[in-house]
Amino acid sequence: MKRILVVEDEPAIAFGLQLDLKNEGYDVEIESDGESALQRARKEAFDLILLDVMLPRKDGFEVCRELRRGGSKTPVIMLTAKTQETEKVLGLEIGADDYVTKPFSPRELRARVKAALRRTAEDDLPIYRFGDAEVDFGRCELRRAGKPVELTALEFKLLTAFIRNGGKVLSRDQLLDLVWGHGTFVTDRVVDNHVVTLRKKVEPEPSEPRYIVSVRGLGYRFDG
Ligand code: CA
């Protein structure tokens, strides 16, 4: 069972996160100030830390910086409330892996958590599961309910790109770069067509996709 440390001083958010993540099968601990969080994270092993920025005693940026200074490689997702905080996280000067902007949807947060845990687990556990699907990166194979599903190499690359970027909106341009390679001349339409065929292979109801969702005007997002 994966252990997550939630560092958040607003009880409603902290307990909401705890409940939601426990439902997903994670073991969730809460700390409500930066100093206690830092001590706890140094003493105990966590697979992921969700770290609010504005905290009593020590802010989230400082907590993250000190963790990294101490050699910790635990993935950290910052919970940011203001644009300036987000910009600071994006500057990567503090060593956080990702951020989620408040107010966030539980669904978005779950996807980010899963993606962060997956990035660290990818090397030793090359199988990713969502719904009844199993993606075996070692064998480059997709299985649904235990049975292999025929995928083209491009479709497998596309699925991999989605899984690696779970919870994030990917534009058609980004997908072209990730899957077809930078500078390849194919049109947006090609991306859309491949998404359609991939959905037929991974979605329980391809006409109402729940894993590879369209984000109007922006692109696609994997919520697996
Ligand atoms: Ca706070």
Side-chain angles (χ1 to χ4, degrees):
M1 196 190 260
K2 299 279 185 194
R3 291 191 85 210
I4 300 177
L5 178 63
V6 171
V7 189
E8 168 63 77
D9 58 323
E10 285 168 68
I13 299 180
F15 292 121
L17 280 170
Q18 187 177 42
L19 192 68
D20 199 46
L21 293 168
K22 275 192 165 170
N23 280 337
E24 293 293 299
Y26 302 114
D27 181 6
V28 185
E29 303 290 334
I30 297 178
E31 286 296 340
S32 54
D33 74 79
E35 189 55 47
S36 315
L38 194 57
Q39 285 172 15
R40 183 106 187 240
R42 282 175 176 155
K43 272 204 307 263
E44 298 174 33
F46 290 97
D47 297 292
L48 175 72
I49 300 173
L50 292 181
L51 187 55
D52 186 31
V53 173
M54 289 301 289
L55 290 168
R57 292 175 77 199
K58 190 165 268 178
D59 74 27
F61 293 133
E62 197 48 41
V63 172
C64 189
R65 244 185 244 119
E66 287 191 29
L67 277 172
R68 292 294 181 253
R69 235 180 262 140
S72 165
K73 293 197 169 63
T74 309
V76 173
I77 300 179
M78 305 291 304
L79 307 176
T80 61
K82 302 190 205 102
T83 316
Q84 307 96 284
E85 294 175 0
T86 306
E87 281 165 1
K88 211 164 165 187
V89 177
L90 287 174
L92 297 174
E93 59 196 291
I94 53 156
D97 297 82
D98 200 358
Y99 71 95
V100 176
T101 310
K102 291 178 178 178
F104 46 80
S105 74
R107 192 189 168 104
E108 179 191 5
L109 190 95
R110 284 197 297 267
R112 294 298 184 85
V113 163
K114 234 179 146 183
L117 290 170
R118 187 160 62 234
R119 282 192 289 272
T120 51
E122 222 162 49
D123 296 338
D124 46 299
L125 190 78
I127 289 186
Y128 180 71
R129 295 181 176 84
F130 61 97
D132 69 350
E134 236 180 24
V135 184
D136 187 330
F137 292 106
R139 301 172 57 155
C140 292
E141 191 177 82
L142 167 70
R143 293 184 289 270
R144 294 271 308 267
K147 294 199 181 75
V149 176
E150 202 66 47
L151 281 190
T152 67
L154 262 177
E155 285 162 358
F156 194 82
K157 274 177 94 172
L158 182 59
L159 181 58
T160 304
F162 277 126
I163 292 173
R164 291 228 166 104
N165 294 282
K168 286 183 187 161
V169 177
L170 292 174
S171 69
R172 290 175 178 79
D173 277 347
Q174 283 171 310
L175 285 166
L176 282 174
D177 280 352
L178 287 167
V179 179
W180 280 263
H182 197 70
T184 312
F185 185 75
V186 284
T187 62
D188 289 358
R189 186 88 197 128
V190 173
V191 177
D192 293 337
N193 288 340
H194 276 80
V195 168
V196 170
T197 53
L198 186 58
R199 275 176 175 157
K200 286 183 185 150
K201 298 178 181 183
V202 301
E203 296 282 353
E205 198 61 68
S207 58
E208 282 172 49
R210 51 186 279 198
Y211 298 118
I212 303 173
V213 299
S214 300
V215 182
R216 192 180 291 267
L218 295 174
Y220 298 100
R221 190 185 63 228
F222 180 72
D223 285 340

